[in-house]
Amino acid sequence: MKFTLSWLKDHIETEASLAEICETLTRIGLEVENVIDPAAALKDFTIAYVVDAKPHPNADRLRVCMVDTGSGAPVQVVCGAPNARTGMKSVFSGPGTYIPGKKLTLGKGVIRGVESLGMLCSAAELELSEDHEGIIDLPADAPVGVRYAQWAGFDDPVIEINLTPNRPDAAGVSGIARDLAAAGLGKLKTPAVAPAKGAYPCPVNVTLDFSGDDRKLCPQFALRMVRGVKNGQSPEWMQRRLKAIGLQADQRAGRHHQLRHLRPRAAAARVRREEGRRQSCRAARTRGRRSAGARRQDLCARRLQRRHCR
């Protein structure tokens, strides 16, 4: 189970440090296996503005870019990305920066006779994804000169705990915060669910009747709608939160976020279903295996049968 420190603090008010939180989690049975600080590897990458991008005089596929890094005069960068253009904002790294995706330290260079004082980076070079087709294209409101990890939310420590099968309540961040509050580490808080007004009548009529003793069977029923979903894409804040813990932020992002955020029982049930399917597949493969001796006996029997037929 992975979650970020800021995500946890959405559910608990605490002044405890990261070390105190990790120690308490291990003490109450949610053993902390790993703590990752992604900002350490991305501390030297900043947001920059491409003032001008012109074709390279000696190469068709390269462009010479003048880049405003937010600290002094624009610097010259030779870039081979197909999406490099005037007016875009991207991620800049200067000489002396270690590029994790390339496993090298960047230095000043001369590319086809033109000096380059840094580079504009792709997501693959920052090890944020496998996308290496072009440099990172940031929105127009991205602040120039600010550390990219801080702006994108990648400066948030990621805590990974070892979740045992008997703790399905800890499959959601709210359940983990509840345990920490019970251990005296802070005050539990439950974010209010904002009502969402429908844009059109629901084509399905749903009636819930919890009268009489049936109410005990379902003590709570909640429905959460996510606003801001356009063209099948999840909201940007949700994509950042899921990317921070290593999940793909695609059309299923809303489901992943809800399972980890508000519905720990559903998340545990999903894990059990997947584990059950894996066990069934393993059992089927085991039944299909035969020992080497049994296979040799079958081969000998088929050979004897062919001889008798002749």
Side-chain angles (χ1 to χ4, degrees):
M1 173 64 184
K2 290 184 179 181
F3 55 92
T4 61
L5 182 61
S6 64
W7 196 349
L8 178 66
K9 289 187 176 181
D10 285 346
H11 296 269
I12 184 171
E13 295 179 1
T14 179
E15 298 297 329
S17 65
L18 177 62
E20 291 173 334
I21 292 174
C22 293
E23 188 276 332
T24 305
L25 285 171
T26 301
R27 177 164 52 85
I28 63 178
L30 302 176
E31 182 182 0
V32 176
E33 289 191 336
N34 196 15
V35 177
I36 305 171
D37 186 8
L42 304 178
K43 60 183 179 63
D44 295 325
F45 296 88
T46 59
I47 299 174
Y49 175 73
V50 180
V51 179
D52 187 26
K54 298 184 296 186
H56 194 288
N58 303 320
D60 295 336
R61 297 186 179 182
L62 299 179
R63 301 184 72 81
V64 180
C65 303
M66 297 303 298
V67 180
D68 179 11
T69 63
S71 58
V75 297
Q76 183 172 275
V77 175
V78 177
C79 182
N83 63 332
R85 66 188 185 276
T86 301
M88 74 176 299
K89 290 184 178 180
S90 188
V91 179
F92 171 79
S93 58
T97 303
Y98 179 76
I99 310 298
K102 290 183 174 294
K103 304 296 186 293
L104 58 83
T105 300
L106 189 64
K108 296 181 181 179
V110 177
I111 302 176
R112 295 289 184 91
V114 178
E115 186 180 33
S116 181
L117 302 177
M119 69 179 296
L120 298 171
C121 305
S122 67
E125 289 164 342
L126 272 60
E127 292 189 337
L128 299 177
S129 72
E130 297 181 358
D131 184 11
H132 54 81
E133 296 298 326
I135 57 177
I136 298 174
D137 195 349
L138 300 179
D141 59 350
V144 176
V146 175
R147 288 185 178 181
Y148 173 66
Q150 177 183 355
W151 174 82
F154 295 142
D155 60 341
D156 204 2
V158 179
I159 304 171
E160 182 177 4
I161 64 172
N162 183 10
L163 187 60
T164 53
N166 65 325
R167 293 301 309 273
D169 58 306
V173 183
S174 59
I176 297 172
R178 189 181 302 112
D179 273 7
L180 289 174
L185 204 66
K187 180 181 178 182
L188 183 68
K189 61 179 181 179
T190 303
V193 179
K197 184 178 180 180
Y200 53 86
C202 180
V204 180
N205 294 323
V206 179
T207 302
L208 300 175
D209 185 7
F210 292 143
S211 59
D213 295 335
D214 293 340
R215 182 178 294 273
K216 299 178 181 179
L217 301 177
C218 184
Q220 180 180 3
F221 181 84
L223 175 65
R224 182 181 177 90
M225 300 293 293
V226 179
R227 292 183 178 181
V229 179
K230 297 180 180 179
N231 300 324
Q233 295 297 324
S234 302
E236 186 177 353
W237 63 266
M238 184 182 293
Q239 295 184 33
R240 292 182 183 177
R241 176 167 283 181
L242 293 176
K243 285 180 180 179
I245 60 173
L247 289 180
Q248 292 293 329
D250 54 9
Q251 289 86 347
R252 298 171 294 174
R255 182 179 65 181
H256 290 317
H257 182 268
Q258 189 175 11
L259 289 176
R260 290 176 177 264
H261 187 76
L262 293 174
R263 297 183 58 190
R265 293 183 180 179
R270 182 165 175 258
V271 170
R272 288 196 297 270
R273 288 197 299 271
E274 293 179 354
E275 181 61 26
R277 285 195 293 269
R278 286 195 293 268
Q279 291 179 357
S280 299
C281 293
R282 285 196 293 266
R285 288 196 298 268
T286 302
R287 289 194 299 268
R289 295 192 187 118
R290 305 188 65 189
S291 65
R295 291 197 297 271
R296 283 196 297 270
Q297 291 177 0
D298 290 345
L299 179 60
C300 292
R302 288 195 297 270
R303 288 176 177 174
L304 289 173
Q305 185 178 7
R306 286 198 296 270
R307 290 177 183 175
H308 287 301
C309 292
R310 291 176 183 173

